[in-house]
Amino acid sequence: MPFEVASTTVVEPRAAALSLNGPAKTMQTALAPVDSSLQLTAVDYIQCEDVYSLKGMAAHPVVMERGQGEFLWDTTGKRYIDFNAGFSSCNQGHCHPKIVKAMMEQCQVLALPSRSVHNANYALLCKKLCHLSGFDKVALLNGGAEAVDMAIKAARAWAYKVKGIAQDQCLVLTAEHNYHGRSLSLLSASNDAGYRKNCGPWMPNVGPYCTGAVIRFGVVEDLEKAFKTHGDRIAAYIVEPVQGHAGCIAASDEYLVAVRDLCNKYRILFIADEIQGGLGRAGSLFSYQSSGVKPDMVVLGKSLSGGLYPVSGIIGTEDAMSGLEAGQYGSTFSGNPIGSAVALAALDVIVDEDLPGRSRDLGAKFAARLEAIKSPYFDKITGKGLFRSMYIHETHPEGRVTGARLAALCLERGLLLNSAGRRLRICPALVIDEAIMLEGVDIIERALNDLSDMELP
């Protein structure tokens, strides 16, 4: 379902195509003043980033210049089918015209008046979020990590003020292998050794081990034991209904029902992190909805702005959000007119174009086609809707078939996706045309079968 664009600017190739296996060129400008007349190549930009930027996640050796719908174009003009969608930030597709229009109109009128005054867009966005979700209160923020941190803060305040836990004694539980973000509080709540390296000491009383035993994702017995022994001190359990970073592992509906029942029994807040899996990605507006339960609080981000602006937030019941007092919530850019206008338009696109329904219907076809891949190296598919991971067997005797090599070969052939170990993360925009989606799977299948014949460099 590609959306209509009033006009399209054709980006002419500006440099020779980048060879993924070719030698790096000498960078022309990394240590020199920028000259806008120079014809910079992708290698130049990448080396410039290497010199001036703190290292982040490993990136494909390609520089993207333009995006529209389910496609990206690099600096040479080469088009890619995007099976990443900004790690679920672009459920509505790249540069959706309705969202772009809302942003452009608002940024010419009022950008940031400060939170010391009111602005209309913020009020309307809070109302829309409450009406769409069925919750009572909203706290808007910027990035996803900031929103999860806010959820922990709100849960602690609730625990002391409402539940009556002794000051500084409450616990906030998370599940093993979670990914809630990389701020210090959220790394404290994580067990990812790579992200945590050299970043301690950690915030106490939060995480999957803070009761003395591990809380494994999807294992009711672990949660029940923790609640039974420490329930009088536990403020909340924060969980992703679909653990995206861990491999698009979906909790069963039965597990989510059990979580709700246990939280009710022990008077503990059930907080769903829907930053990646929500807003249509997993086949419903929120991924927990397939279970029929309702959490006490939900964390949102990413596609809340369609990828155009950092907007995040928490929504919750009156009770769950009642712990914080006036002045304890605030952020300079949160709820600003531009971000709120963008989020209002992004939500309209999700609803008006029934993106949850598209994700549910296309997701079933997507999973069936992926599972039909014919290769001895294909293993399995996980996930819900258009929130998927594909696992391969890295069993080639010469090591030719790996997730990293498969992702690199797909990139050469015009398909962008990411690998992590032996799995590929496959999450296209929810507006993707069905034929384009299936073309992407064809690229994966051919690449997987060709790898065994391609020698290692």
Side-chain angles (χ1 to χ4, degrees), residues 7-221:
S7 62
T8 302
T9 301
V10 177
V11 178
E12 297 296 336
R14 302 190 310 186
L18 176 65
S19 171
L20 300 185
N21 296 318
K25 298 179 182 179
T26 301
M27 184 177 60
Q28 301 171 3
T29 59
L31 299 177
V34 175
D35 182 347
S36 60
S37 68
L38 290 175
Q39 293 292 317
L40 302 183
T41 69
V43 172
D44 292 325
Y45 290 121
I46 291 168
Q47 290 185 343
C48 183
E49 182 177 326
D50 286 344
V51 170
Y52 292 111
S53 173
L54 187 68
K55 295 293 183 290
M57 68 174 291
H60 293 292
V62 63
V63 178
M64 295 302 180
E65 187 171 67
R66 183 166 68 93
Q68 199 72 59
E70 63 266 62
F71 299 113
L72 290 168
W73 286 262
D74 69 16
T75 51
T76 73
K78 179 178 176 179
R79 191 194 78 171
Y80 301 81
I81 300 169
D82 183 9
F83 269 16
N84 188 326
F87 292 118
S88 298
S89 294
C90 302
N91 288 357
Q92 301 91 335
H94 293 285
C95 299
H96 193 291
K98 292 181 180 178
I99 309 175
V100 170
K101 181 175 183 289
M103 183 177 193
M104 295 300 291
E105 290 178 349
Q106 183 60 49
C107 72
Q108 297 175 78
V109 178
L110 179 63
L112 188 67
S114 92
R115 292 299 297 271
S116 66
V117 296
H118 300 278
N119 80 78
N121 290 343
Y122 174 73
L124 295 176
L125 177 56
C126 290
K127 180 179 179 181
K128 181 180 284 289
L129 281 169
C130 287
H131 284 190
L132 280 176
S133 65
F135 286 99
D136 306 312
K137 295 290 183 180
V138 175
L140 286 177
L141 296 137
N142 306 291
E146 187 182 356
V148 184
D149 189 84
M150 180 68 187
I152 294 173
K153 182 178 175 181
R156 283 179 161 186
W158 174 88
Y160 300 134
K161 185 176 179 180
V162 179
K163 187 172 178 177
I165 296 176
Q167 282 293 318
D168 301 333
Q169 297 301 308
C170 80
L171 308 174
V172 175
L173 305 189
T174 62
E176 190 179 35
H177 305 306
N178 72 73
Y179 181 80
H180 297 296
R182 279 175 268 188
S183 67
L184 277 175
S185 67
L186 304 185
L187 289 180
S188 300
S190 167
N191 67 304
D192 190 302
Y195 290 150
R196 287 164 59 98
K197 184 178 179 180
N198 296 330
C199 295
W202 305 111
M203 189 171 83
N205 296 348
V206 60
Y209 303 115
C210 63
T211 62
V214 64
I215 305 297
R216 292 169 292 178
F217 179 71
V219 180
V220 174
E221 292 76 14

Side-chain angles (χ1 to χ4, degrees), residues 427-447:
C427 305
L430 308 187
V431 298
I432 192 168
D433 180 81
E434 181 178 342
I436 298 298
M437 178 185 77
L438 297 177
E439 179 185 341
V441 181
D442 291 342
I443 293 172
I444 295 173
E445 182 172 32
R446 288 193 297 269

Side-chain angles (χ1 to χ4, degrees), residues 362-373 378 381-383 385-386 388 437 441:
L362 286 180
K365 297 175 182 178
F366 196 39
R369 176 63 186 92
L370 287 165
E371 289 172 347
I373 288 176
F378 173 81
I381 301 298
T382 59
L386 286 174
R388 300 284 177 174
M437 178 185 77
V441 181

Side-chain angles (χ1 to χ4, degrees), residues 212-426:
V214 64
I215 305 297
R216 292 169 292 178
F217 179 71
V219 180
V220 174
E221 292 76 14
D222 290 352
L223 206 62
E224 188 169 24
K225 181 179 179 181
F227 283 14
K228 182 177 290 186
T229 56
H230 295 81
D232 59 337
R233 290 184 57 202
I234 298 173
Y237 176 49
I238 304 178
V239 65
E240 305 152 275
V242 183
Q243 283 195 333
H245 190 72
C248 293
I249 308 299
S252 69
D253 289 343
E254 291 76 16
Y255 176 72
L256 296 177
V257 169
V259 170
R260 178 70 275 174
D261 290 343
L262 285 168
C263 286
N264 288 343
K265 180 178 179 180
Y266 290 93
R267 203 185 180 199
I268 291 167
L269 298 181
F270 173 13
I271 303 177
D273 181 345
E274 292 276 357
I275 292 172
Q276 292 190 74
L279 300 177
R281 170 58 56 184
S284 50
L285 185 61
F286 305 113
S287 62
Y288 64 79
Q289 289 178 317
S290 62
S291 68
V293 303
K294 182 180 179 181
D296 300 291
M297 200 182 301
V298 176
V299 189
L300 298 174
K302 293 191 180 290
S303 282
L304 184 54
S305 66
L308 268 74
Y309 201 91
V311 181
S312 66
I314 58 174
I315 51 178
T317 64
E318 183 88 38
D319 176 64
M321 304 280 268
S322 65
L324 291 175
E325 298 177 4
Q328 289 188 292
Y329 153 62
S331 174
T332 299
F333 278 83
S334 66
N336 69 71
I338 296 177
S340 297
V342 167
L344 283 164
L347 290 170
D348 283 343
V349 170
I350 291 170
V351 173
D352 295 345
E353 299 185 16
D354 188 21
L355 297 191
R358 282 186 59 77
S359 179
R360 182 178 60 253
D361 297 341
L362 286 180
K365 297 175 182 178
F366 196 39
R369 176 63 186 92
L370 287 165
E371 289 172 347
I373 288 176
K374 292 180 171 58
S375 168
Y377 299 105
F378 173 81
D379 182 11
K380 64 179 180 178
I381 301 298
T382 59
K384 294 172 70 175
L386 286 174
F387 198 21
R388 300 284 177 174
S389 282
M390 177 183 126
Y391 291 71
I392 64 172
H393 297 295
E394 294 184 331
T395 54
H396 188 277
E398 298 177 21
R400 295 180 179 179
V401 180
T402 68
R405 292 194 86 214
L406 179 54
L409 185 56
C410 286
L411 187 76
E412 286 188 347
R413 296 178 178 183
L415 175 68
L416 174 65
L417 39 70
N418 279 64
S419 66
R422 70 183 189 95
R423 68 177 183 265
L424 299 179
R425 180 176 172 135
I426 308 175

